[in-house]
């Protein structure tokens, strides 16, 4: 009943909005399964060395980065709904393949295929939202989808508990197959989604990517990408720094739960006012301030005993979450506003290159930050400060 009232308060009561929410939570349950159990399956279920898994996933990440803009161009040509359906179906196929591979070559091919599709799903989904939702509701819809997605991730992660409790590597295949099933369900749901027909680009204009050659737009995408480093800070930086600063290992779980709860409760609120002039600019600059504060607080974690570390990590995680919420809302608003309607899928894919690049370099960067301890965190704070100062000129250059 609470969830129903929550949805009614923030989402227009349209069939399209309801379908998007159900697709989002379905995908997220599968995503929670995958994120929580995939690496264990690759190492214990397939029997691959951990180093080989990491190298293969890095190669797959690069492939996904390179393919995202061409796939965005394809979406503008065939329609964003068709592209999203195709990506979801392809992800299901690759997950089935991963459940049957027995060696590194097959794993590498399936991982590349899966990552190419996975990297393009986010901008393709955003492009679908741009088509089916009114301009004033787009950012709020994206915010609610992200909030709902975090709930789905938690449910998916919980579903891995009985699978791992069985302590049978063969049972780990259920992680891949269960995720594949969620994508099949997403395809069936998306087939019901009513999308207004768009006027396709003339063939001659579709041949060359425009988004990656629009330098002011790319510059904004890169600034936004730097601020999106919060994702790697959460997944890599916090666990490593908790260990290095002497905090109890349970602190990591506490901080992940805290981040999830705050995101579920506050992501929609962070998008309020998204229809007002200058919203995206302000949101990104405030995100930079929050991330600077986060890094400074994290730097203090090694200055006392383990309880000082716990307190600093907790306070820093709250600031990190604030930066995450503001960056997401600001990035959505700016990318919607500055992507031309006839090339929206391509431009949104180009905008996604910033976070995609950070996903690739972020783990190495955060490892170095933790290695240099408090000075490393202060140096990262300076990076965020510079990014915050670059937001306004980047936005102004777009007119």
């Amino acid at each position: 009943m609470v969830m129903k009232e929550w949805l009614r308060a923030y989402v227009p009561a349209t069939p399209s909005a309801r379908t998007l929410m159900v697709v989002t939570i379905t995908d997220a349950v599968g995503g929670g399964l995958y994120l929580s159990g995939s690496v264990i399956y690759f190492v214990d279920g397939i029997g691959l060395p951990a180093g080989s898994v990491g190298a293969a996933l890095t190669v797959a990440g690069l492939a996904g980065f390179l393919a995202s803009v061409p796939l965005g161009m394809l979406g503008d040509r065939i329609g964003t709904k068709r592209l999203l359906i195709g990506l979801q179906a392809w992800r299901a196929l690759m997950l089935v393949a991963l459940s049957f591979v027995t060696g590194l070559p097959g794993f590498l091919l399936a991982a590349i295929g899966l990552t190419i599709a996975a990297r393009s799903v986010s901008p393709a989904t955003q492009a679908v939202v741009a088509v089916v939702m009114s301009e004033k509701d787009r950012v709020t819809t994206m915010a609610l989808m992200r909030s709902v997605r975090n709930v789905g991730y938690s449910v998916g992660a919980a579903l891995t508990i009985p699978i791992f409790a069985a302590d049978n590597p063969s049972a780990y295949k259920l992680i891949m197959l269960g995720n594949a099933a969620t994508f099949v369900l997403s395809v069936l749901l998306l087939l019901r989604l009513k999308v207004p027909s768009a006027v396709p680009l003339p063939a001659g204009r579709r041949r060359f990517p425009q988004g990656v050659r629009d330098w002011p737009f790319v510059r904004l995408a890169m600034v936004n990408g730097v601020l999106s480093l919060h994702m790697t800070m959460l997944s890599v930086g916090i666990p490593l720094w908790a260990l290095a600063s002497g905090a109890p290992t349970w602190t990591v779980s506490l901080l992940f739960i805290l981040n999830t709860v705050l995101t579920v409760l506050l992501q929609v609120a962070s998008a309020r006012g998204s229809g007002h002039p200058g919203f995206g600019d302000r949101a990104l600059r405030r995100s930079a301030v929050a991330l600077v504060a986060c890094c400074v607080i994290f730097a203090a974690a090694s200055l006392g005993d383990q309880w000082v570390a716990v307190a600093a990590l907790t306070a820093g995680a709250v600031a990190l979450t604030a930066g995450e919420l503001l960056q997401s809302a600001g990035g959505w608003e700016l990318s919607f506003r500055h992507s031309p309607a006839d090339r929206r899928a391509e431009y949104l894919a180009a905008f996604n290159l910033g976070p995609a690049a950070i996903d690739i370099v972020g783990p190495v960067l955060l490892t170095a930050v933790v290695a240099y301890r408090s000075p490393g965190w202060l140096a990262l704070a300076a990076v965020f400060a510079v990014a915050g100062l670059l937001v306004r000129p980047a936005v102004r250059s777009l007119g």
Side-chain angles (χ1 to χ4, degrees), residues 108-139:
L108 177 60
L109 290 175
I112 289 174
L114 178 63
T115 307
I116 285 174
R119 172 56 63 190
S120 297
V121 162
S122 179
T125 301
Q126 191 178 350
V128 169
V129 170
V131 173
V132 301
M133 303 304 297
S134 66
E135 186 173 350
K136 67 182 180 65
D137 292 323
R138 290 170 182 169
V139 176

mmCIF file of all heavy atoms in Angstrom, residues 108-139:
data_model
loop_
_atom_site.group_PDB
_atom_site.id
_atom_site.type_symbol
_atom_site.label_atom_id
_atom_site.label_comp_id
_atom_site.label_asym_id
_atom_site.label_seq_id
_atom_site.Cartn_x
_atom_site.Cartn_y
_atom_site.Cartn_z
ATOM 1 N N LEU A 108 35.112 -15.349 -22.693
ATOM 2 C CA LEU A 108 35.458 -14.033 -23.221
ATOM 3 C C LEU A 108 34.449 -13.579 -24.266
ATOM 4 O O LEU A 108 33.973 -12.428 -24.236
ATOM 5 C CB LEU A 108 36.863 -14.059 -23.818
ATOM 6 C CG LEU A 108 37.346 -12.765 -24.481
ATOM 7 C CD1 LEU A 108 37.370 -11.624 -23.482
ATOM 8 C CD2 LEU A 108 38.722 -12.964 -25.097
ATOM 9 N N LEU A 109 34.091 -14.462 -25.193
ATOM 10 C CA LEU A 109 33.135 -14.095 -26.243
ATOM 11 C C LEU A 109 31.770 -13.746 -25.653
ATOM 12 O O LEU A 109 31.144 -12.752 -26.042
ATOM 13 C CB LEU A 109 33.004 -15.239 -27.252
ATOM 14 C CG LEU A 109 34.224 -15.495 -28.145
ATOM 15 C CD1 LEU A 109 34.010 -16.738 -29.004
ATOM 16 C CD2 LEU A 109 34.509 -14.283 -29.026
ATOM 17 N N ALA A 110 31.298 -14.573 -24.723
ATOM 18 C CA ALA A 110 29.983 -14.311 -24.120
ATOM 19 C C ALA A 110 30.012 -13.041 -23.274
ATOM 20 O O ALA A 110 29.054 -12.261 -23.277
ATOM 21 C CB ALA A 110 29.555 -15.505 -23.275
ATOM 22 N N ALA A 111 31.115 -12.824 -22.570
ATOM 23 C CA ALA A 111 31.227 -11.617 -21.747
ATOM 24 C C ALA A 111 31.241 -10.364 -22.611
ATOM 25 O O ALA A 111 30.628 -9.344 -22.262
ATOM 26 C CB ALA A 111 32.486 -11.683 -20.885
ATOM 27 N N ILE A 112 31.932 -10.418 -23.737
ATOM 28 C CA ILE A 112 31.943 -9.274 -24.657
ATOM 29 C C ILE A 112 30.536 -9.014 -25.182
ATOM 30 O O ILE A 112 30.054 -7.877 -25.198
ATOM 31 C CB ILE A 112 32.925 -9.521 -25.813
ATOM 32 C CG1 ILE A 112 34.369 -9.449 -25.301
ATOM 33 C CG2 ILE A 112 32.707 -8.507 -26.941
ATOM 34 C CD1 ILE A 112 35.406 -9.831 -26.343
ATOM 35 N N GLY A 113 29.860 -10.074 -25.613
ATOM 36 C CA GLY A 113 28.500 -9.917 -26.129
ATOM 37 C C GLY A 113 27.559 -9.349 -25.085
ATOM 38 O O GLY A 113 26.746 -8.459 -25.372
ATOM 39 N N LEU A 114 27.676 -9.823 -23.847
ATOM 40 C CA LEU A 114 26.810 -9.346 -22.775
ATOM 41 C C LEU A 114 27.099 -7.883 -22.440
ATOM 42 O O LEU A 114 26.177 -7.070 -22.283
ATOM 43 C CB LEU A 114 27.009 -10.209 -21.530
ATOM 44 C CG LEU A 114 26.201 -9.814 -20.289
ATOM 45 C CD1 LEU A 114 24.713 -9.947 -20.553
ATOM 46 C CD2 LEU A 114 26.611 -10.671 -19.091
ATOM 47 N N THR A 115 28.375 -7.528 -22.370
ATOM 48 C CA THR A 115 28.739 -6.172 -21.965
ATOM 49 C C THR A 115 28.402 -5.144 -23.028
ATOM 50 O O THR A 115 28.027 -4.011 -22.713
ATOM 51 C CB THR A 115 30.243 -6.112 -21.617
ATOM 52 O OG1 THR A 115 30.549 -7.131 -20.663
ATOM 53 C CG2 THR A 115 30.617 -4.759 -21.038
ATOM 54 N N ILE A 116 28.529 -5.508 -24.298
ATOM 55 C CA ILE A 116 28.148 -4.589 -25.375
ATOM 56 C C ILE A 116 26.679 -4.192 -25.227
ATOM 57 O O ILE A 116 26.320 -3.014 -25.337
ATOM 58 C CB ILE A 116 28.410 -5.233 -26.752
ATOM 59 C CG1 ILE A 116 29.920 -5.223 -27.045
ATOM 60 C CG2 ILE A 116 27.646 -4.501 -27.859
ATOM 61 C CD1 ILE A 116 30.298 -5.951 -28.314
ATOM 62 N N ALA A 117 25.837 -5.193 -24.972
ATOM 63 C CA ALA A 117 24.414 -4.897 -24.805
ATOM 64 C C ALA A 117 24.158 -4.150 -23.501
ATOM 65 O O ALA A 117 23.410 -3.166 -23.463
ATOM 66 C CB ALA A 117 23.603 -6.188 -24.848
ATOM 67 N N ALA A 118 24.794 -4.603 -22.411
ATOM 68 C CA ALA A 118 24.543 -3.999 -21.098
ATOM 69 C C ALA A 118 24.943 -2.533 -21.072
ATOM 70 O O ALA A 118 24.257 -1.701 -20.472
ATOM 71 C CB ALA A 118 25.297 -4.776 -20.016
ATOM 72 N N ARG A 119 26.045 -2.190 -21.724
ATOM 73 C CA ARG A 119 26.509 -0.807 -21.732
ATOM 74 C C ARG A 119 25.533 0.111 -22.456
ATOM 75 O O ARG A 119 25.420 1.297 -22.135
ATOM 76 C CB ARG A 119 27.900 -0.753 -22.372
ATOM 77 C CG ARG A 119 28.461 0.627 -22.626
ATOM 78 C CD ARG A 119 28.503 1.466 -21.382
ATOM 79 N NE ARG A 119 29.364 0.934 -20.344
ATOM 80 C CZ ARG A 119 29.400 1.392 -19.110
ATOM 81 N NH1 ARG A 119 28.594 2.379 -18.739
ATOM 82 N NH2 ARG A 119 30.220 0.862 -18.216
ATOM 83 N N SER A 120 24.806 -0.422 -23.431
ATOM 84 C CA SER A 120 23.905 0.403 -24.237
ATOM 85 C C SER A 120 22.483 0.450 -23.708
ATOM 86 O O SER A 120 21.681 1.247 -24.182
ATOM 87 C CB SER A 120 23.890 -0.116 -25.687
ATOM 88 O OG SER A 120 25.173 0.007 -26.278
ATOM 89 N N VAL A 121 22.172 -0.397 -22.722
ATOM 90 C CA VAL A 121 20.800 -0.443 -22.213
ATOM 91 C C VAL A 121 20.420 0.855 -21.508
ATOM 92 O O VAL A 121 19.303 1.367 -21.680
ATOM 93 C CB VAL A 121 20.618 -1.653 -21.274
ATOM 94 C CG1 VAL A 121 19.381 -1.483 -20.399
ATOM 95 C CG2 VAL A 121 20.484 -2.924 -22.097
ATOM 96 N N SER A 122 21.341 1.422 -20.722
ATOM 97 C CA SER A 122 21.003 2.625 -19.960
ATOM 98 C C SER A 122 20.640 3.803 -20.861
ATOM 99 O O SER A 122 19.565 4.406 -20.692
ATOM 100 C CB SER A 122 22.158 2.993 -19.026
ATOM 101 O OG SER A 122 21.869 4.166 -18.300
ATOM 102 N N PRO A 123 21.484 4.183 -21.850
ATOM 103 C CA PRO A 123 21.067 5.285 -22.730
ATOM 104 C C PRO A 123 19.849 4.939 -23.578
ATOM 105 O O PRO A 123 19.036 5.822 -23.882
ATOM 106 C CB PRO A 123 22.304 5.544 -23.597
ATOM 107 C CG PRO A 123 23.137 4.320 -23.499
ATOM 108 C CD PRO A 123 22.865 3.748 -22.145
ATOM 109 N N ALA A 124 19.704 3.657 -23.953
ATOM 110 C CA ALA A 124 18.527 3.268 -24.734
ATOM 111 C C ALA A 124 17.258 3.414 -23.895
ATOM 112 O O ALA A 124 16.222 3.883 -24.385
ATOM 113 C CB ALA A 124 18.668 1.829 -25.228
ATOM 114 N N THR A 125 17.334 3.039 -22.633
ATOM 115 C CA THR A 125 16.184 3.208 -21.738
ATOM 116 C C THR A 125 15.852 4.684 -21.568
ATOM 117 O O THR A 125 14.683 5.082 -21.595
ATOM 118 C CB THR A 125 16.480 2.573 -20.373
ATOM 119 O OG1 THR A 125 16.764 1.179 -20.543
ATOM 120 C CG2 THR A 125 15.295 2.739 -19.431
ATOM 121 N N GLN A 126 16.875 5.504 -21.397
ATOM 122 C CA GLN A 126 16.645 6.937 -21.256
ATOM 123 C C GLN A 126 16.015 7.512 -22.517
ATOM 124 O O GLN A 126 15.143 8.389 -22.451
ATOM 125 C CB GLN A 126 17.972 7.649 -20.951
ATOM 126 C CG GLN A 126 17.787 9.100 -20.518
ATOM 127 C CD GLN A 126 19.100 9.774 -20.167
ATOM 128 O OE1 GLN A 126 20.150 9.126 -20.062
ATOM 129 N NE2 GLN A 126 19.065 11.091 -20.004
ATOM 130 N N ALA A 127 16.432 7.011 -23.674
ATOM 131 C CA ALA A 127 15.844 7.472 -24.933
ATOM 132 C C ALA A 127 14.373 7.082 -25.025
ATOM 133 O O ALA A 127 13.544 7.847 -25.538
ATOM 134 C CB ALA A 127 16.623 6.903 -26.115
ATOM 135 N N VAL A 128 14.027 5.894 -24.529
ATOM 136 C CA VAL A 128 12.627 5.471 -24.516
ATOM 137 C C VAL A 128 11.819 6.377 -23.586
ATOM 138 O O VAL A 128 10.703 6.792 -23.918
ATOM 139 C CB VAL A 128 12.506 3.995 -24.092
ATOM 140 C CG1 VAL A 128 11.051 3.624 -23.816
ATOM 141 C CG2 VAL A 128 13.069 3.084 -25.168
ATOM 142 N N VAL A 129 12.374 6.692 -22.420
ATOM 143 C CA VAL A 129 11.690 7.603 -21.495
ATOM 144 C C VAL A 129 11.441 8.944 -22.167
ATOM 145 O O VAL A 129 10.368 9.550 -22.018
ATOM 146 C CB VAL A 129 12.520 7.782 -20.209
ATOM 147 C CG1 VAL A 129 11.954 8.916 -19.348
ATOM 148 C CG2 VAL A 129 12.552 6.490 -19.407
ATOM 149 N N ALA A 130 12.417 9.437 -22.933
ATOM 150 C CA ALA A 130 12.263 10.722 -23.622
ATOM 151 C C ALA A 130 11.110 10.693 -24.610
ATOM 152 O O ALA A 130 10.448 11.710 -24.844
ATOM 153 C CB ALA A 130 13.560 11.083 -24.352
ATOM 154 N N VAL A 131 10.847 9.524 -25.177
ATOM 155 C CA VAL A 131 9.787 9.407 -26.187
ATOM 156 C C VAL A 131 8.416 9.259 -25.552
ATOM 157 O O VAL A 131 7.435 9.858 -26.003
ATOM 158 C CB VAL A 131 10.077 8.211 -27.121
ATOM 159 C CG1 VAL A 131 8.905 7.974 -28.074
ATOM 160 C CG2 VAL A 131 11.357 8.452 -27.926
ATOM 161 N N VAL A 132 8.323 8.448 -24.485
ATOM 162 C CA VAL A 132 6.996 8.101 -23.960
ATOM 163 C C VAL A 132 6.530 9.017 -22.829
ATOM 164 O O VAL A 132 5.346 9.018 -22.501
ATOM 165 C CB VAL A 132 6.956 6.635 -23.474
ATOM 166 C CG1 VAL A 132 7.302 5.682 -24.602
ATOM 167 C CG2 VAL A 132 7.875 6.414 -22.283
ATOM 168 N N MET A 133 7.448 9.801 -22.243
ATOM 169 C CA MET A 133 7.062 10.679 -21.146
ATOM 170 C C MET A 133 7.114 12.134 -21.603
ATOM 171 O O MET A 133 7.897 12.502 -22.483
ATOM 172 C CB MET A 133 7.989 10.492 -19.937
ATOM 173 C CG MET A 133 8.055 9.061 -19.404
ATOM 174 S SD MET A 133 6.450 8.359 -18.941
ATOM 175 C CE MET A 133 5.969 9.458 -17.619
ATOM 176 N N SER A 134 6.299 12.971 -20.968
ATOM 177 C CA SER A 134 6.330 14.392 -21.282
ATOM 178 C C SER A 134 7.635 14.998 -20.780
ATOM 179 O O SER A 134 8.295 14.456 -19.883
ATOM 180 C CB SER A 134 5.140 15.111 -20.634
ATOM 181 O OG SER A 134 5.257 15.068 -19.219
ATOM 182 N N GLU A 135 8.001 16.139 -21.333
ATOM 183 C CA GLU A 135 9.280 16.759 -20.981
ATOM 184 C C GLU A 135 9.392 17.037 -19.485
ATOM 185 O O GLU A 135 10.449 16.823 -18.877
ATOM 186 C CB GLU A 135 9.452 18.048 -21.781
ATOM 187 C CG GLU A 135 10.810 18.701 -21.594
ATOM 188 C CD GLU A 135 11.012 19.881 -22.522
ATOM 189 O OE1 GLU A 135 10.179 20.077 -23.442
ATOM 190 O OE2 GLU A 135 12.004 20.608 -22.327
ATOM 191 N N LYS A 136 8.317 17.476 -18.857
ATOM 192 C CA LYS A 136 8.382 17.829 -17.436
ATOM 193 C C LYS A 136 8.478 16.603 -16.536
ATOM 194 O O LYS A 136 8.870 16.731 -15.358
ATOM 195 C CB LYS A 136 7.166 18.665 -17.044
ATOM 196 C CG LYS A 136 5.838 17.919 -17.089
ATOM 197 C CD LYS A 136 4.679 18.841 -16.727
ATOM 198 C CE LYS A 136 3.350 18.106 -16.757
ATOM 199 N NZ LYS A 136 3.272 17.051 -15.711
ATOM 200 N N ASP A 137 8.127 15.421 -17.055
ATOM 201 C CA ASP A 137 8.125 14.212 -16.235
ATOM 202 C C ASP A 137 9.351 13.324 -16.458
ATOM 203 O O ASP A 137 9.504 12.309 -15.769
ATOM 204 C CB ASP A 137 6.870 13.372 -16.509
ATOM 205 C CG ASP A 137 5.601 14.050 -16.032
ATOM 206 O OD1 ASP A 137 5.655 14.695 -14.969
ATOM 207 O OD2 ASP A 137 4.571 13.955 -16.727
ATOM 208 N N ARG A 138 10.220 13.667 -17.395
ATOM 209 C CA ARG A 138 11.296 12.746 -17.759
ATOM 210 C C ARG A 138 12.287 12.508 -16.625
ATOM 211 O O ARG A 138 12.610 11.359 -16.298
ATOM 212 C CB ARG A 138 12.030 13.276 -18.997
ATOM 213 C CG ARG A 138 11.210 13.197 -20.270
ATOM 214 C CD ARG A 138 11.904 13.953 -21.395
ATOM 215 N NE ARG A 138 11.090 13.933 -22.622
ATOM 216 C CZ ARG A 138 11.345 14.683 -23.678
ATOM 217 N NH1 ARG A 138 12.391 15.523 -23.666
ATOM 218 N NH2 ARG A 138 10.578 14.620 -24.745
ATOM 219 N N VAL A 139 12.801 13.585 -16.037
ATOM 220 C CA VAL A 139 13.811 13.426 -14.997
ATOM 221 C C VAL A 139 13.226 12.746 -13.766
ATOM 222 O O VAL A 139 13.851 11.865 -13.157
ATOM 223 C CB VAL A 139 14.433 14.791 -14.627
ATOM 224 C CG1 VAL A 139 15.423 14.639 -13.479
ATOM 225 C CG2 VAL A 139 15.137 15.393 -15.839
#
